Amino acid sequence: MAVPELDPREIEQLLADHPEWSLARDGKAITRIFQFKDFSAAWGFMTRVALLAEAQDHHPEWFNVYAKVEVTLTTHDAEPSGGLSQRDVRLARAIDGLA
């Protein structure tokens, strides 16, 4: 089911509310790097995010190396052309709550 893309004002508000995140992919995604003390802490964080993502039915793209986790959020079925949506806003807020 398609959802509306955020407009430029909403994207600006998203970044103001979540300053640790930055735009990626020509403004179609946001990304944040999380650094942990070790692999176990990073993996635990990823597990908690996975549970949130599953509950929200909106899943991040991510990359993990040892104690670093890079998370990217985008909504592939956002209309008209895929990009950021309220799904990304909600998940970024939830992820920030875990960090």
Side-chain angles (χ1 to χ4, degrees), residues 8-83:
R9 182 192 55 76
E10 291 170 315
I11 292 171
E12 185 178 309
Q13 187 63 53
L14 167 62
L15 296 173
D17 291 345
H18 303 279
E20 300 88 1
W21 294 82
S22 59
L23 283 178
R25 299 185 188 162
D26 296 324
K28 298 288 187 179
I30 55 174
T31 190
R32 180 174 174 188
I33 295 174
F34 298 86
Q35 188 67 47
F36 298 93
K37 66 178 181 164
D38 57 27
F39 179 76
S40 181
W43 188 263
F45 170 77
M46 292 176 71
T47 300
R48 291 187 302 278
V49 170
L51 293 171
L52 285 172
E54 190 65 19
Q56 292 185 21
D57 193 28
H58 187 58
H59 304 91
E61 298 173 17
W62 51 17
F63 180 74
N64 166 244
V65 175
Y66 186 62
K68 180 176 89 171
V69 178
E70 181 178 345
V71 179
T72 301
L73 300 178
T74 190
T75 303
H76 298 287
D77 59 351
E79 290 187 349
S81 60

